[in-house]
Amino acid sequence: MTQTTAQYGGASKEAIQHHYDLSNEFYSLWLDETMTYSCAMWEEGSTLKEAQLRKLDHHIDAARVRGAAHVLDIGCGWGAMLRRLVDDAGVASAVGLTLSEAQAAWVRSRHDPRLDVRVESWEHHVPKRKYGGIISLGAFEHFARPDVPKSEVIESYRRFFSTCHGWLESGGAMSLQTIAYGTAQRKDLNRFIVEEIFPESDLPTLADIDQAAHGLFEIERVRNDRLDYARTLKEWYFKLRACKAEALAEVGEETVARYERYLSLFAVGFHTGAMNLLRLSLRRIDPR
């Protein structure tokens, strides 16, 4: 993708890389061993790694892809879901999409022929064959920009769902995880987050998703696990604080301070309900 701004109206490749290409080594200091950078699924007594693996398994089951031949992960990050699919869920091959060169390099360093990671947006993806299921965690938040009218946002979301519908085998399913507006609204967005952490990105509401997916996917289940994200962010924050010397050496004082502020602000946002964490199970509606 060579254009500065993606045609679908979401965050540009440059905006994504501003956050995710900062440093693989920096993220490895405070994420768990799987390098999973999205909300975990907690139970009493869980470690961060256990909670992250539980989340991955939840989405694998929601997308009904155990033993599938071919699965797509949109926004694959550092490949935790891809590895879980082929190593533990019996999936024959998995394709991951990311706009981060650093994340793609991390996944490719595994040299696993079952994994195909591509640096491209969903809009530019051309699958070789139909997918048995689609999973997307923490990418939907980047599919709209805060300066775009709501009608265009819904249209963009609908193009995404229509595209995924066309990629899926008959009866296929998709599991989607995204941050969403809770009690907060677009006008309440913190300028620090919009400008310094996640530029060119905006959040959906559950109503936006329902409207955009109507007639294409049936929303079978929805979970709002915002308190799970509050706990995940606290875990990340304290892990970052615990290895602050190494983090400072890797990215410098200004960046570490920026991330400490971001993680603490987000934790408060989920704790108060200003933001929600949605996990949606969607079934493809087959044409009659």
Side-chain angles (χ1 to χ4, degrees), residues 7 20 33 45 81 123 151 166 169 171 187 191 199 222 239 241 260 278:
Q7 294 176 6
Y20 297 97
E33 302 95 304
M81 178 60 79
E123 187 191 39
S151 60
E169 297 172 353
K187 63 180 177 60
R191 300 315 302 173
V222 181
K239 280 173 65 69
R241 294 281 294 179
E260 287 178 341
L278 304 180

Side-chain angles (χ1 to χ4, degrees), residues 18-19 188-200 254-266:
H18 166 81
H19 186 84
D188 302 320
L189 285 173
N190 186 296
R191 300 315 302 173
F192 163 71
I193 297 297
V194 172
E195 295 170 4
E196 298 191 40
I197 303 299
F198 297 114
E200 302 180 10
E254 181 180 346
T255 297
V256 172
R258 188 167 71 243
Y259 271 71
E260 287 178 341
R261 183 183 177 191
Y262 139 60
L263 293 172
S264 59
L265 280 174
F266 260 44

Side-chain angles (χ1 to χ4, degrees), residues 131-146:
Y131 292 109
I134 297 174
I135 297 171
S136 183
L137 314 181
F140 201 84
E141 299 92 330
H142 301 299
F143 292 173
R145 298 163 64 109

Side-chain angles (χ1 to χ4, degrees), residues 76-250:
C76 66
W78 287 275
M81 178 60 79
L82 297 175
R83 294 189 296 273
R84 193 71 170 174
L85 285 166
V86 299
D87 288 344
D88 298 277
V91 171
S93 67
V95 175
L97 306 184
T98 178
L99 291 180
S100 166
E101 297 283 359
Q103 290 179 338
W106 182 280
V107 178
R108 288 169 182 155
S109 68
R110 180 186 173 104
H111 302 295
D112 189 331
R114 299 171 297 175
L115 305 182
D116 179 10
V117 62
R118 306 182 189 181
V119 181
E120 61 186 20
S121 71
W122 63 265
E123 187 191 39
H124 294 85
H125 178 57
V126 179
K128 297 177 181 177
R129 55 189 182 278
K130 296 276 189 177
Y131 292 109
I134 297 174
I135 297 171
S136 183
L137 314 181
F140 201 84
E141 299 92 330
H142 301 299
F143 292 173
R145 298 163 64 109
D147 57 347
V148 173
K150 178 61 75 171
S151 60
E152 294 182 23
V153 169
I154 300 300
E155 182 182 344
S156 176
Y157 290 160
R158 187 155 184 84
R159 285 198 302 272
F160 169 73
F161 285 118
S162 179
T163 300
C164 290
H165 184 277
W167 288 339
L168 280 169
E169 297 172 353
S170 177
M174 176 163 65
S175 193
L176 177 69
Q177 177 171 305
T178 181
I179 302 170
Y181 285 114
T183 58
Q185 301 177 37
R186 177 183 276 192
K187 63 180 177 60
D188 302 320
L189 285 173
N190 186 296
R191 300 315 302 173
F192 163 71
I193 297 297
V194 172
E195 295 170 4
E196 298 191 40
I197 303 299
F198 297 114
E200 302 180 10
S201 298
D202 195 13
L203 301 179
T205 65
L206 179 57
D208 293 339
I209 296 171
D210 180 55
Q211 181 179 349
H214 182 72
L216 297 168
F217 287 91
E218 176 188 357
I219 300 177
E220 295 184 317
R221 290 181 299 279
V222 181
R223 295 173 58 119
N224 178 11
D225 288 334
R226 63 178 178 84
L227 295 181
D228 275 3
Y229 218 162
R231 182 172 176 182
T232 303
L233 288 153
K234 290 176 185 176
E235 290 278 338
W236 288 341
Y237 175 83
F238 287 117
K239 280 173 65 69
L240 177 57
R241 294 281 294 179
C243 61
K244 190 165 185 176
E246 296 96 321
L248 289 171
E250 182 63 33

